[in-house]
Amino acid sequence: MDAKQVLETSLNSGLGILKMYLSDLDDAALLERPGPGCNNLAWQLGHLITSEAGLIESVSPGNGFKLPEGFAEAHAKDKCQVDDPAAFLTKQAYIDLYDGARETTKRVLRELPPERLEDPSPERLRKFVPTVAAMFGLLGAHPLLHAGQFAVVRRKLGKPVVL
């Protein structure tokens, strides 16, 4: 297994686990907040998708996932306290967008020359992920950074433990 295959496995695992947490939630559950001051699940999904699209565009300009008009703005940090259901998408729409973004990420990874994995990551990330390879690793782990909040919402709603 080479580095790209390891990174793709990570990309598949992280999103797969998040989808398990989403599997039996309905659209209304996405508006739940794990606790006071926390972001609702819909906003978090939008954040994950927007982040991924932006990061891939930064390492492969012109090849990133194209977000729907207004999507990034609706899921910007200044919108994280919004509770209006009309401001968010359905669960299926988020899953479809995330799948599209993730397929784009995997395509860019596959097409990337192996030596580019050692290139510096985008400037704003270098303290945490110094290389392009590390950035792809972060994208694999990013859904897991939010999964704990999804688990808390599941508990609040009386859903069964997933993992």
Side-chain angles (χ1 to χ4, degrees), residues 15 45-73 75 89 92-109 111 135-136 139:
L15 184 52
L45 287 167
H47 158 75
L48 287 163
I49 295 162
T50 301
S51 297
E52 184 144 344
L55 288 173
I56 293 305
E57 184 65 27
S58 73
V59 297
S60 187
N63 294 309
F65 182 71
K66 306 300 183 238
L67 295 169
E69 185 74 30
F71 185 86
E73 296 79 12
H75 297 88
L89 305 178
Q92 191 59 54
Y94 282 114
I95 290 171
D96 291 345
L97 284 170
Y98 210 159
D99 283 343
R102 186 50 54 95
E103 284 307 312
T104 299
T105 297
K106 293 190 305 188
R107 178 186 47 77
V108 168
L109 175 62
E111 293 173 357
M135 188 207 68
F136 278 101
L139 289 173

Side-chain angles (χ1 to χ4, degrees), residues 77-143:
K77 286 184 182 181
D78 66 340
K79 302 291 188 201
C80 67
Q81 294 305 314
V82 172
D83 287 315
D84 179 6
F88 298 101
L89 305 178
T90 65
K91 177 180 89 168
Q92 191 59 54
Y94 282 114
I95 290 171
D96 291 345
L97 284 170
Y98 210 159
D99 283 343
R102 186 50 54 95
E103 284 307 312
T104 299
T105 297
K106 293 190 305 188
R107 178 186 47 77
V108 168
L109 175 62
R110 286 185 211 115
E111 293 173 357
L112 197 70
E115 61 273 9
R116 288 268 335 270
L117 292 174
E118 294 307 317
D119 285 357
S121 67
E123 181 71 37
R124 63 185 159 69
L125 295 177
R126 284 191 197 144
K127 287 194 305 191
F128 307 105
V129 290
T131 65
V132 169
M135 188 207 68
F136 278 101
L138 173 65
L139 289 173
H142 196 189

